[in-house]
Amino acid sequence: MRQRLPFIFSEILPPEARFFAEKSPPPLAGARTARLFALLALLTALIFTLAPAPLLAQSSVRPPGNAVTFPDAPEPGPANTLGTRSDAEIWDMIRGGSPRDPGVIFAPTPEGALMTTTGQQWRVLRERYIRKYAGWAPLAVIVLIALFHLIRGPMRLKEGRSGKTLPRFTLTARVAHWFMAVVFILLAISGLVILLGRVLIAPYLGREVNSALTSAAMQGHNLFGPLFILALFWLFVKFVAGNFFHPHDLKWIFRLGGLFGHHVSSRKFNFGEKTWFWLVVLVGAVIAASGVLMLFPWLTDDLRFLQLATVLHVLGAVLLISIAIGHIYVGTIGMEGSLDSMLKGEVDESWAREHHDIWYEQITGKKAHPETPKMKQEGAP
């Protein structure tokens, strides 16, 4: 006869434990044997109750034949969790080059670069050097001219004015000259305000005044810029014929243009005037091209061309402004009789003989410096 467990044990035991607990003890077993079976049933119940369900099901559930098994432990990662590249190297790859390498300014932009690195060099060049020192060039020229004028004085006509004049420039040539002069001066003033306003105007007149002047200068600069291109082309057409260099210009160079009293023969234009003409044409062309690129930045996809355009624009403008100051001095108070050529279109014969004697002989058929009896006697065999 099978002995049944008490009601409380039969209710709490799982079916597997209940099967063992309800087994009838051997016929010869007594009360001790019954208690032993009860204890074993209780331990079995505790094991089935406290053990995790997946562990119990593992032995009875078979995985399918095509099941994929993974190792229990994850694969070890790299020793350096940050990778093998430093942050600086990663950013250099994104920028397409190191900002510390000057070669990136001229090297083509690598494919896949997300940004350009030349902006740092451009900003340093503009703020630390161009904006800081460019304004000193015109001022230095003014100081040198003032010292020269005080020490040497203006160049007077040795023979005085003769009262006779020679035609030098036509009306259209003079209009082309003054058209260029007016446009150039307006661009020079507005450009210097844009470049140096933060340094020279804001600290003394205030940021509001500098902002208003800079905004007006920018509008005027953009307005007169296209007129400069027209004036440059007109100036080239009207004056290029007499401004080609000639071997006799070497004498002008060796004698510094007669600056210290030595006479130097020259044609319609001397070496200094020819050099000034070609500087205006060539440097002016660079200024015009860079200005167009800044006005229409969508003409290029490479930001470096825009950065280079701003640098060339400023340097070219400062160079022409500095030399133009000397040109204005010589053409006005620095040389007697020079201004007449651009105001009246005529020059005094004495001025033509002293400064452009070859040109004087070409248009008059006369000797600019006739030999005196003493010179003939010294030259006789």
Side-chain angles (χ1 to χ4, degrees):
M1 180 175 180
R2 188 171 61 177
Q3 182 180 0
R4 297 186 61 86
L5 289 173
F7 174 77
I8 183 171
F9 286 107
S10 63
E11 293 298 329
I12 66 174
L13 291 178
E16 296 85 351
R18 195 183 305 157
F19 171 79
F20 292 102
E22 292 180 352
K23 287 284 186 179
S24 299
L28 299 179
R32 181 177 296 179
T33 304
R35 287 196 297 271
L36 182 59
F37 270 89
L39 182 59
L40 290 175
L42 181 60
L43 292 176
T44 305
L46 291 176
I47 293 175
F48 280 95
T49 302
L50 299 178
L55 183 62
L56 297 176
Q58 184 175 3
S59 59
S60 59
V61 178
R62 294 181 179 180
N66 60 349
V68 179
T69 59
F70 295 96
D72 295 337
E75 296 182 0
N80 182 9
T81 57
L82 296 179
T84 59
R85 297 181 182 273
S86 64
D87 290 344
E89 292 175 334
I90 294 175
W91 277 109
D92 289 347
M93 294 173 61
I94 295 175
R95 285 187 294 240
S98 173
R100 300 169 295 278
D101 183 12
V104 300
I105 300 177
F106 306 101
T109 303
E111 184 177 358
L114 302 181
M115 64 178 68
T116 59
T117 185
T118 55
Q120 299 185 34
Q121 288 94 341
W122 171 79
R123 183 166 50 253
V124 169
L125 178 63
R126 179 178 175 84
E127 298 299 327
R128 294 186 183 179
Y129 299 99
I130 295 179
R131 192 187 296 275
K132 188 175 181 179
Y133 299 109
W136 291 102
L139 182 61
V141 172
I142 293 175
V143 171
L144 291 176
I145 291 176
L147 292 175
F148 175 83
H149 188 78
L150 292 175
I151 298 174
R152 172 70 166 76
M155 291 177 279
R156 302 291 185 183
L157 293 175
K158 298 178 181 179
E159 301 178 0
R161 292 180 177 267
S162 65
K164 300 178 181 180
T165 59
L166 297 174
R168 183 162 174 82
F169 295 121
T170 63
L171 178 61
T172 56
R174 284 179 284 149
V175 172
H177 172 271
W178 288 113
F179 179 56
M180 167 60 80
V182 172
V183 172
F184 180 84
I185 291 173
L186 292 174
L187 288 173
I189 295 175
S190 59
L192 291 176
V193 170
I194 297 170
L195 178 64
L196 304 175
R198 188 185 303 174
V199 179
L200 299 180
I201 299 178
Y204 304 101
L205 300 181
R207 295 182 178 179
E208 292 77 9
V209 175
N210 176 58
S211 177
L213 291 177
T214 303
S215 178
M218 178 66 72
Q219 298 298 326
H221 206 77
N222 295 340
L223 176 64
F224 296 121
L227 296 179
F228 176 79
I229 300 176
L230 177 60
L232 186 64
F233 177 77
W234 193 7
L235 188 77
F236 176 79
V237 172
K238 296 303 297 183
F239 290 93
V240 67
N243 278 286
F244 293 103
F245 293 101
H246 193 272
H248 70 259
D249 292 326
L250 294 175
K251 296 180 180 180
W252 193 97
I253 299 174
F254 293 145
R255 296 186 179 183
L256 299 178
L259 193 62
F260 299 100
H262 298 285
H263 173 73
V264 181
S265 298
S266 63
R267 297 173 178 265
K268 186 174 184 178
F269 299 108
N270 57 38
F271 178 80
E273 293 168 324
K274 293 176 182 178
T275 303
W276 170 236
F277 170 80
W278 288 111
L279 279 175
V280 171
V281 171
L282 298 179
V283 179
V286 174
I287 294 174
S290 58
V292 170
L293 195 59
M294 288 189 289
L295 279 176
F296 307 102
W298 56 84
L299 294 177
T300 177
D301 295 330
D302 196 334
L303 185 61
R304 294 176 300 177
F305 286 116
L306 297 176
Q307 296 166 349
L308 180 62
T310 60
V311 174
L312 294 179
H313 196 81
V314 172
L315 295 180
V318 171
L319 175 63
L320 289 188
I321 291 172
S322 302
I323 301 177
I325 295 173
H327 174 73
I328 293 172
Y329 168 76
V330 174
T332 54
I333 63 175
M335 180 181 292
E336 183 182 3
S338 293
L339 189 58
D340 295 340
S341 61
M342 281 300 170
L343 290 180
K344 304 176 182 179
E346 299 177 346
V347 293
D348 193 88
E349 288 190 0
S350 297
W351 183 90
R353 285 195 300 267
E354 292 184 17
H355 300 292
H356 298 273
D357 51 351
I358 299 177
W359 171 72
Y360 171 83
E361 294 175 355
Q362 289 175 344
I363 63 174
T364 62
K366 303 177 182 178
K367 284 287 187 180
H369 305 285
E371 296 179 346
T372 61
K374 183 177 180 180
M375 295 175 60
K376 293 181 179 180
Q377 184 177 1
E378 292 177 355

